[in-house]
Amino acid sequence: MRTSRVAAVALAVAAALTLTACGGEPAKDTGSVTQLTGQQKTGAATVLDRPFDKPELVLTDTTGKPWNLREQTKGRPTLIYFGYTNCPDVCPLTMSNIAVAKKALPKEDQDKLRVVFVTTDPERDTPESLGAWLRAQDPAFTGLTGDFSTIQAAARSLGIGIEAPKKEADGSIVSMHGAQVIAFSPKTDEGYVLYGEGTTVDDYTKDLPKLIKGENP
């Protein structure tokens, strides 16, 4: 039992310290992100013994209006992901996997779930472009953009490292970001489950019914 718990802790810490360059190789973050301790691994999910507080985050949604994360998701099962729309692989795959799994839920549960995509590239991800991109995934998904430093601080409060977008030698712009999805309980409004970028449609399909109820997957 002790061995499995230690392995789970190591896995969670490694996930929190790894940044993904969409379309490239993962790179280690040298910044200070929250280190996770005391987790239990159950399938694709890492259940946190010490859940994250929901960030006090107010950004701009895809209609151009202020959107308060705590107020808009209070008492609702919520998945949060930080990424950007020009990402060619990890970000669209993650959103697509969640969208497909969500469709397997009963309509009532689909209406309860909040899926929030926070851009790590706010200069290019305007409300309009972010909205168009998310509608192709699921029209009910919420997209948020705004000040990068505010976004970065919120991500780091959840153990997710992100860096400002950088221009590569070939002219492309790459956003380095942690690829974790954090699930918040409708019972406590705390982030109590973490998913890595390898989480599949089947994983989300299996776990979402429990996350909707605030149960451990």
Side-chain angles (χ1 to χ4, degrees), residues 182-199:
I182 306 291
F184 287 79
S185 168
K187 296 179 179 179
T188 64
D189 281 322
E190 293 179 321
Y192 74 116
V193 180
L194 178 149
Y195 292 93
E197 69 177 87
T199 307

Side-chain angles (χ1 to χ4, degrees), residues 43 53 56 62 75 78 120 133 135 141 144 159 176 179 208 210:
D53 290 332
E56 292 185 5
T62 55
T78 302
T120 59
W133 188 82
R135 281 193 294 274
F141 285 0
L144 299 178
M176 302 287 286
L208 279 181
K210 294 181 179 180

Side-chain angles (χ1 to χ4, degrees), residues 109-186:
D109 286 346
Q110 290 187 42
D111 293 341
K112 292 177 182 177
L113 181 65
R114 292 289 180 266
V115 179
V116 181
F117 181 95
V118 184
T119 182
T120 59
D121 184 12
E123 185 172 336
R124 289 189 295 171
D125 283 344
T126 64
E128 294 78 15
S129 63
L130 183 55
W133 188 82
L134 282 175
R135 281 193 294 274
Q137 303 284 352
D138 186 316
F141 285 0
T142 296
L144 299 178
T145 187
D147 176 69
F148 177 80
S149 62
T150 300
I151 293 169
Q152 185 180 52
R156 286 186 178 277
S157 76
L158 297 174
I160 299 174
I162 65 175
E163 294 180 357
K166 296 179 181 178
K167 182 174 288 189
E168 301 294 292
D170 62 1
S172 63
I173 298 176
V174 175
S175 175
M176 302 287 286
H177 62 89
Q180 297 80 44
V181 173
I182 306 291
F184 287 79
S185 168

Side-chain angles (χ1 to χ4, degrees), residues 58-61 63-68 72 144:
V58 180
L59 292 170
T60 303
D61 68 13
T63 69
K65 296 179 180 179
W67 204 88
N68 186 306
Q72 297 290 339
L144 299 178

